[in-house]
Amino acid sequence: MNFKTFYRTNRLRMWVIAFSSLMQPFVLIAAAYLNMLEINTLRDHNKKAWLIIVLASLLGYLLSNFFDMVSNYLLATHIREFNQQLRGKILRHLYDEKRTYQVAEVENQLTNDLNMVNDQYFNLLPTICNFLGYIIFSVIALLTINWTLLVITLLTVLCSIFLPKLIDKPIQKAMENVSLKNSQYLDLIEKWLSGIAELQRYAAGEHLMKVMHVGAKKLEEAKLNQTAKQQVLSIITGSISQIMIFALFVWTGVLIKGHMAPFGAIAVIGNFSTYMSIGIEYLPFYLGLIKGTSSLRDKITAETLPVREHSETEIHESPYAFRTKDLAVKFQNGETLKFPDIEVKYGEKILLTGDSGAGKSTLFKLILNFLAPSSGQLEFMNQAGEIIEPDLTKIGYIAQDPILFPSTVKSNITMFNDQLDGLAEIVGQNMGLTDTSSFAQGLNTEINLQKLNISGGQRQKIILARAQVHDSNILLIDEGTSAIDQTATLEILQQLLQKPNTVIFIAHNFNERMNSMFDREIHLSK
């Protein structure tokens, strides 16, 4: 994420932005220069020349506003397109990386981090062109008056460039801290406000307010620290600017008295010094802000890079069976779960039971590589029983908390694969999802996650339908029918278990008839 990628978004537009950003100070300084000539014509009583210069100056001021408006509008358009491309790359990176992210972490990446870089990098590029223009064109104007004024200006510019470097690193560190605290605050909001109903039920509002206050305070303190560092930089550059203005006024008076500068110079030197002071004060300040975003830009760049794909020699096959040996996982709290050696053959229908906390769901996470084992082995086999490198996306998984998306029932079943629409209709009908008494528009009913227009049982039926439609060779089901009545559960099991794929089903409330439908039971205990 740098100027090169920003520029490539639309090269022509960037040239127009740069041109407009430079023309704005050019016509403004040209108009100020004409004011010097205007005073001279008044002294000489040349009314005609005076009127022409006045009109030319007015045109210059109008053009300055026009170029400023064009630059700002085109920049906003450019940033919008650039951010759209960046967000697409970030989402693609997150998707291809295949690891679990916290929602608050992703929200921070897609909003706060991008906004910070926009505000303190890309939005400043035309402004920097402005300030460069102020300095360059003011230098040219001063040079035409007297070259000694240029010497004073150059000395001041050198000081203003090198002194702010003393605070570059503190500003960069302060910006990184703001990003970190904002991410932590968003994570805090997600974790606590998602359970606000439970807090209300137990009248724990005071604790909620206390926790949120502490998180907000840390974020505001980080922002305050960033502002303090920026103000120090502003004071340094502002002081240099004031010294320059004083020196220019004094020396201009000396030059006019010695007949080495035109009389009108004393009236406009203030304008030139103001334009110079703007450029000298704010150019290094904004360059410091831009440099301060380097680590954040590197972080965003890393999140937009394509995820390395498997080489052609790494062949991943669809798994049909698996086995474990000495498998164990150790958690951060020091607890260790050890699993018995398990071998599951293709086509087996297994009921996985066990005590609470015995590791039933954890075993599924190990199989799916959502969790890495601390020790032991997990091997997958193909249909011929040979050990393979598995394509884990071919393993079907139904979690305890079904994941649905704000789309139609059919899309949630097919997972947006239109080629599966016909099969979804058949499976949906078998599941009772096409009944208009449940869904007004059948499978075309839109799911509203905010208003929760579906029941827990309907959610599980949709997920089970999804599993049947995609027909994975191995299907892992974690309490997949807990919200469905026993009659409907029995019908669903009959449909699932008659298929040739391997099924491992976690359940604790099955009756004897349901248990007998499985080939065998694996019981886990602590």
Side-chain angles (χ1 to χ4, degrees), residues 368 392-398 467 471-477:
L368 294 163
L392 297 179
T393 63
K394 301 300 183 182
I395 299 178
Y397 175 54
I398 300 175
D471 200 22
S472 303
N473 294 323
I474 298 178
L475 180 58
L476 310 178
I477 305 175

Side-chain angles (χ1 to χ4, degrees), residues 190-443:
E190 179 191 1
K191 289 179 177 177
W192 283 89
L193 294 190
S194 61
I196 193 169
E198 195 72 3
L199 292 170
Q200 291 169 340
R201 190 160 69 91
Y202 289 96
E206 288 300 321
H207 186 73
L208 171 65
M209 300 305 169
K210 182 179 178 180
V211 170
M212 298 306 295
H213 174 72
V214 171
K217 184 178 179 181
K218 290 181 180 179
L219 175 60
E220 292 307 319
E221 287 175 349
K223 290 183 177 179
L224 183 63
N225 180 56
Q226 181 188 24
T227 301
K229 296 293 190 299
Q230 293 173 351
Q231 289 303 314
V232 171
L233 180 57
S234 180
I235 290 172
I236 293 174
T237 54
S239 299
I240 297 171
S241 173
Q242 294 305 313
I243 293 172
M244 182 206 70
I245 292 173
F246 178 76
L248 282 176
F249 264 112
V250 172
W251 187 244
T252 301
V254 172
L255 292 176
I256 292 174
K257 186 175 181 180
H259 304 289
M260 291 181 288
F263 175 75
I266 195 63
V268 297
I269 194 64
N271 289 342
F272 291 138
S273 63
T274 298
Y275 298 142
M276 285 291 294
S277 67
I278 290 175
I280 291 175
E281 178 179 357
Y282 288 105
L283 181 59
F285 172 70
Y286 285 127
L287 287 174
L289 292 182
I290 285 177
K291 189 172 182 180
T293 65
S294 60
S295 60
L296 187 56
R297 285 186 284 114
D298 290 342
K299 172 188 171 187
I300 295 175
T301 298
E303 293 162 354
T304 60
L305 296 176
V307 176
R308 184 186 69 86
E309 296 182 356
H310 299 296
S311 65
E312 293 181 1
T313 58
E314 294 177 317
I315 301 175
H316 288 66
E317 300 181 44
S318 178
Y320 284 76
F322 68 90
R323 63 174 172 238
T324 69
K325 184 177 181 181
D326 300 326
L327 195 63
V329 59
K330 185 175 182 179
F331 299 99
Q332 291 183 348
N333 62 3
E335 181 184 0
T336 300
L337 280 178
K338 295 182 179 180
F339 297 91
D341 293 347
I342 298 171
E343 182 170 0
V344 176
K345 298 178 180 179
Y346 174 56
E348 278 195 294
K349 310 298 186 288
I350 295 175
L351 182 63
L352 184 62
T353 62
D355 305 328
S356 178
K360 300 184 294 296
S361 299
T362 302
L363 178 60
F364 279 6
K365 292 178 181 179
L366 290 168
I367 294 171
L368 294 163
N369 201 31
F370 291 169
L371 190 65
S374 303
S375 60
Q377 294 180 333
L378 177 61
E379 296 177 334
F380 292 89
M381 285 80 75
N382 58 18
Q383 197 168 7
E386 301 168 334
I387 296 176
I388 59 168
E389 286 294 328
D391 180 356
L392 297 179
T393 63
K394 301 300 183 182
I395 299 178
Y397 175 54
I398 300 175
Q400 285 181 333
D401 186 17
I403 302 297
L404 296 181
F405 301 92
S407 186
T408 64
V409 173
K410 182 186 293 184
S411 294
N412 272 276
I413 294 174
T414 64
M415 287 304 292
F416 313 101
N417 185 345
D418 295 340
Q419 296 180 356
L420 298 176
D421 284 355
L423 187 56
E425 292 283 352
I426 298 172
V427 174
Q429 186 173 6
N430 294 337
M431 288 280 187
L433 297 173
T434 57
D435 187 354
T436 55
S437 62
S438 300
F439 296 111
Q441 299 178 19
L443 297 186

Side-chain angles (χ1 to χ4, degrees), residues 112-125:
N112 180 70
D113 286 356
L114 287 183
N115 289 335
M116 287 181 67
V117 173
N118 289 338
D119 293 340
Q120 301 190 31
Y121 186 87
F122 297 120
N123 273 325
L124 301 183
L125 294 176

